[in-house]
Amino acid sequence: MTDTLSRAPVRLGWRLVLLGFSQLIIAVDYNIVYVALPEIGTDLGFSAQSLQWVVSAYAVGYGGLLLLGGRMVDRLGARRVWFAAIVIYGLSSLVAGFANSPGTLIAARAVQGAGGALLFPATLTLIFIGFPEGPKRNQALSVWGAIGGGGLAAGALLGGLFTDWWGWESVLFVNVPLTALAFMAGIKLLPADAPAQKGIRDFDVPGALLATAGATLIVFGLASGPDSGWTSFQSAGTEAIGAVLLVVFFLVEARTRSPLMPLRLVRTRTLAVTMAVAFLFMATLSTGYYLFTTYLQPVLGYSPIKAGLAFLPLCAFSMAAGQLTGPLLNKFGLRKVFTGTLLVNGAGVAATALGMSVGGSFWALMPGILLWGFGGGVGFTVTFAAAGMGISPMEQGVASSMASTLAQIGGAVGLAALVAVANHGIDYDAAPAVTDIVDGLQLAGVIAGIVVAVGAVITFVFLKDPEPPTAVVAESGVTEADQTTGAATA
């Protein structure tokens, strides 16, 4: 009996490592592709505007199915969904690495996104149910966020190394051994699920299809605008149809018996604010990475390895900042930390863009990169900590998925829109002047910074820290007020 209890904290620690590793897989895949984009575009024949679909296809598949993933976690159990997600992620990565056409790669990336849509809520739910609300959960989320930040750093470096050594295909193949390792560890470390809830067949498939189709058409319209014309049916028409489908999605959610997005949860102020801010925050994160890659390789002429190394300071700052999230939340509260980190992140993205110049130096970007990385590292963790605040344990999966859905769709929409801004008026078929490319990158980067600042205004005006109840000392010596304050910051 004593020996079993002494081993329990060790097993819990290794479980947290595995859940962090799950986030690392997602983060590696998110960042490893950026450095390989120029080679992917050349090898498979993508245009300058359509190349962003390598990123957006993943984001749309991820964001469009996250709500379904969250509901599956709540109904089927986090462990079951986690294993299914790992298998989907590994197999789709294998197919993506063998892709020999833009269509095949985009389709495989969309399936990867579907795997991520299952993996993310399952991982986050396992953290929420495995660690009690308060400082322990804040600490667990800090570790989770820091490991995810490490994945961004590893993705940037591996993307450069693998692309130079073995070609762009290797940046997709790397997920295969990672998912295999996670699968084997999960058999030993993850707790068994409770029996699946009744009504597991009622997953609101129409809602999932509407959300995915609506988001896809809006992103497609934004991405098509520069080539087909912003008033053409291919651009404006598909955007309008996508918007209509999203409106129908909300109507369906209001009437269905088991909605993917329970609209009553949106009445929770913290979750509603978090969803709006997540959309804006991730719109700039995806754009920032894309712009940074475009500056390092086509403008400064960096090799993939050198570009990967150039990403490391940004990712290191982000990873270090993620470790500070728990202490910052415990000391200053959600509203102050959320608002402050968004302001820092937006200023960093804009400063990095303004530091770009023809024949410029990477070191001129460092002040902006420092702010960008710090704000991004804290902001990412705070966003998903806030999503679970005030939500019952049985609905943590769908709450985190609601916030992450808006984040991923925001990333795809923001990337499509701001890449169009960066490429406006530039004819890549005619060897455009480097000054025109830099001007476009600067404009898009400044707009991205302003978008994050708008998110900071939203959190400052609408987000409120709940008042803790009157302190009641428990036998453990921890007051009820302490427990509630910890839950609020989680």
Side-chain angles (χ1 to χ4, degrees):
M1 178 71 173
T2 303
D3 184 56
T4 300
L5 290 175
S6 68
R7 289 199 305 266
V10 176
R11 173 64 64 89
L12 197 61
W14 279 111
R15 186 182 300 165
L16 179 59
V17 170
L18 174 61
L19 297 176
F21 186 70
S22 303
Q23 181 61 26
L24 181 142
I25 291 173
I26 297 175
V28 164
D29 187 60
Y30 185 90
N31 216 22
I32 200 171
V33 172
Y34 281 95
V35 178
L37 285 176
E39 187 167 315
I40 291 174
T42 300
D43 196 22
L44 295 186
F46 283 94
S47 68
Q49 186 65 29
S50 65
L51 184 59
Q52 56 93 17
W53 271 108
V54 178
V55 178
S56 293
Y58 179 91
V60 170
Y62 195 137
L65 295 175
L66 260 173
L67 292 170
L68 180 62
R71 180 56 67 196
M72 291 178 70
V73 168
D74 292 334
R75 293 294 186 88
L76 298 177
R79 187 180 192 269
R80 297 183 184 97
V81 175
W82 185 92
F83 276 108
I86 286 292
V87 172
I88 292 172
Y89 216 104
L91 292 178
S92 60
S93 297
L94 189 66
V95 173
F98 283 116
N100 56 9
S101 68
T104 303
L105 179 57
I106 290 172
R109 288 285 289 167
V111 176
Q112 269 189 316
L118 301 180
L119 184 60
F120 182 85
T123 298
L124 202 56
T125 297
L126 286 166
I127 290 178
F128 270 95
I129 65 178
F131 296 86
E133 289 184 311
K136 287 187 178 180
R137 185 183 293 174
N138 287 342
Q139 183 180 13
L141 286 167
S142 292
V143 172
W144 168 77
I147 295 177
L152 294 178
L157 180 58
L158 292 176
L161 293 174
F162 285 12
T163 302
D164 252 4
W165 292 348
W166 299 302
W168 63 265
E169 297 90 344
S170 60
V171 306
L172 297 161
F173 286 142
V174 71
N175 283 323
V176 178
L178 293 179
T179 52
L181 179 61
F183 187 94
M184 291 185 290
I187 295 174
K188 292 284 188 180
L189 296 174
L190 295 183
D193 288 320
Q197 294 185 29
K198 293 181 179 180
I200 60 174
R201 296 180 181 178
D202 187 9
F203 286 124
D204 187 17
V205 174
L209 295 177
L210 286 168
T212 305
T216 301
L217 288 174
I218 288 176
V219 174
F220 179 80
L222 289 169
S224 301
D227 294 329
S228 65
W230 291 106
T231 59
S232 67
F233 177 80
Q234 187 174 345
S235 178
T238 54
E239 288 176 43
I241 295 173
V244 170
L245 290 179
L246 292 181
V247 171
V248 175
F249 164 75
F250 283 106
L251 294 176
V252 169
E253 297 308 281
R255 297 187 177 189
T256 189
R257 183 179 64 181
S258 181
L260 290 178
M261 180 183 286
L263 299 184
R264 57 182 171 75
L265 291 182
V266 182
R267 291 196 290 270
T268 303
R269 177 183 291 212
T270 303
L271 180 57
V273 171
T274 300
M275 290 169 63
V277 173
F279 182 94
L280 301 175
F281 176 65
M282 287 299 293
T284 61
L285 182 63
S286 298
T287 300
Y289 284 147
Y290 193 98
L291 300 180
F292 193 42
T293 297
T294 304
Y295 180 67
L296 292 175
Q297 296 188 70
V299 176
L300 295 186
Y302 279 20
S303 66
I305 288 180
K306 194 173 180 180
L309 291 172
F311 264 90
L312 289 184
L314 172 62
C315 298
F317 290 142
S318 178
M319 183 170 57
Q323 290 277 44
L324 300 175
T325 305
L328 288 173
L329 285 172
N330 290 329
K331 184 173 182 179
F332 297 107
L334 181 65
R335 179 170 177 259
K336 290 180 180 178
V337 174
F338 213 166
T339 300
T341 195
L342 290 171
L343 288 174
V344 170
N345 180 256
V349 172
T352 302
L354 291 175
M356 298 176 179
S357 62
V358 178
S361 167
F362 167 75
W363 299 106
L365 308 180
M366 285 303 294
I369 287 174
L370 173 61
L371 296 174
W372 179 9
F374 182 86
V378 177
F380 178 83
T381 309
V382 169
T383 298
F384 296 105
M389 190 179 82
I391 304 297
S392 72
M394 296 302 297
E395 293 184 310
Q396 288 291 340
V398 70
S400 65
S401 295
M402 287 167 67
S404 196
T405 293
L406 269 292
Q408 293 301 323
I409 292 177
V413 170
L415 180 62
L418 291 175
V419 166
V421 170
N423 292 337
H424 180 69
I426 299 176
D427 183 4
Y428 278 90
D429 294 330
V434 178
T435 53
D436 292 336
I437 297 176
V438 171
D439 288 344
L441 297 178
Q442 287 183 333
L443 178 59
V446 170
I447 293 175
I450 293 172
V451 168
V452 182
V454 172
V457 173
I458 292 174
T459 58
F460 182 78
V461 173
F462 295 104
L463 195 62
K464 293 183 179 180
D465 288 318
E467 292 292 334
T470 303
V472 177
V473 179
E475 291 182 4
S476 63
V478 180
T479 67
E480 185 180 347
D482 290 337
Q483 294 171 345
T484 304
T485 303
T489 57

